[in-house]
Amino acid sequence: MTEEGKPAAAIPAREFTIDELAQAAQMTVRNVRAYQDRGLIPPPEIRGRTGIYSDAHLARLRVIGPLLARGYSLSNISELIEAWEKGHDLRQLLGLEQAITTPWAEEVPAYYELSELMTLFQRQMTPETLARAVQLNLIQVDGARFKVPSPRL
């Protein structure tokens, strides 16, 4: 059922010529053809000498545009679409699950004498700044020297 209460099969699928499709997708006919040539959208149904595109083509173009705007290359987009069509898990394709579940590389803490911290940070290392860094646990007092748990930070 649709929002209007009609069965979904009762709503006819829209059909477009290439010009109409490009206009609906807010892009040029040249881009539509380029995406078709690269396999990003399937070829149209041919009726006589006219290619007829569907809502599915428009939906695909509406996915491609934002991905391009976000910096994905056409090759990246093609790989994503191909994986999607084959039923692959996009999280697996993107390596997202591994990136989220893999622990961060353990950093080795560094130890500094006060004179070394003063040299590293020059005028920025005041007694107040040092006290604040210790309070925030960015630097830890370790006897006569200072332990920095995350030197990269």
Side-chain angles (χ1 to χ4, degrees):
M1 294 296 238
T2 65
E3 292 176 15
E4 296 83 22
K6 295 180 184 177
I11 297 176
R14 290 187 299 174
E15 295 181 339
F16 307 91
T17 64
I18 193 165
D19 292 323
E20 294 165 341
L21 179 66
Q23 185 176 7
Q26 298 180 339
M27 63 179 55
T28 65
V29 169
R30 182 178 179 187
N31 282 348
V32 173
R33 285 193 176 114
Y35 299 154
Q36 184 178 325
D37 290 345
R38 293 193 66 131
L40 295 173
I41 63 171
E45 176 186 334
I46 303 298
R47 291 189 196 152
R49 295 178 51 176
T50 305
I52 302 298
Y53 296 85
S54 68
D55 282 325
H57 291 94
L58 179 59
R60 178 74 59 89
L61 291 174
R62 287 185 174 160
V63 168
I64 293 168
L67 289 173
L68 286 170
R70 293 178 82 184
Y72 289 90
S73 70
L74 291 177
S75 295
N76 296 140
I77 296 168
S78 177
E79 186 179 2
L80 288 169
I81 289 171
E82 184 178 324
W84 182 264
E85 287 176 340
K86 290 180 178 178
H88 293 174
D89 186 352
L90 291 181
R91 290 177 300 178
Q92 186 178 32
L93 174 71
L94 298 173
L96 184 61
E97 192 166 348
Q98 181 180 0
I100 290 173
T101 58
T102 302
W104 292 95
E106 293 294 321
E107 261 189 287
V108 177
Y111 292 87
Y112 298 96
E113 301 292 328
L114 179 59
S115 61
E116 293 173 307
L117 286 176
M118 298 298 286
T119 302
L120 281 172
F121 295 101
Q122 300 175 3
R123 294 182 191 170
Q124 296 173 343
M125 184 56 73
T126 64
E128 295 81 16
T129 306
L130 181 59
R132 182 70 175 146
V134 169
Q135 181 185 12
L136 294 171
N137 208 30
L138 298 172
I139 297 175
Q140 300 167 350
V141 178
D142 185 18
R145 55 188 192 157
F146 296 91
K147 176 181 174 184
V148 179
S150 178
R152 288 187 294 191
L153 179 62

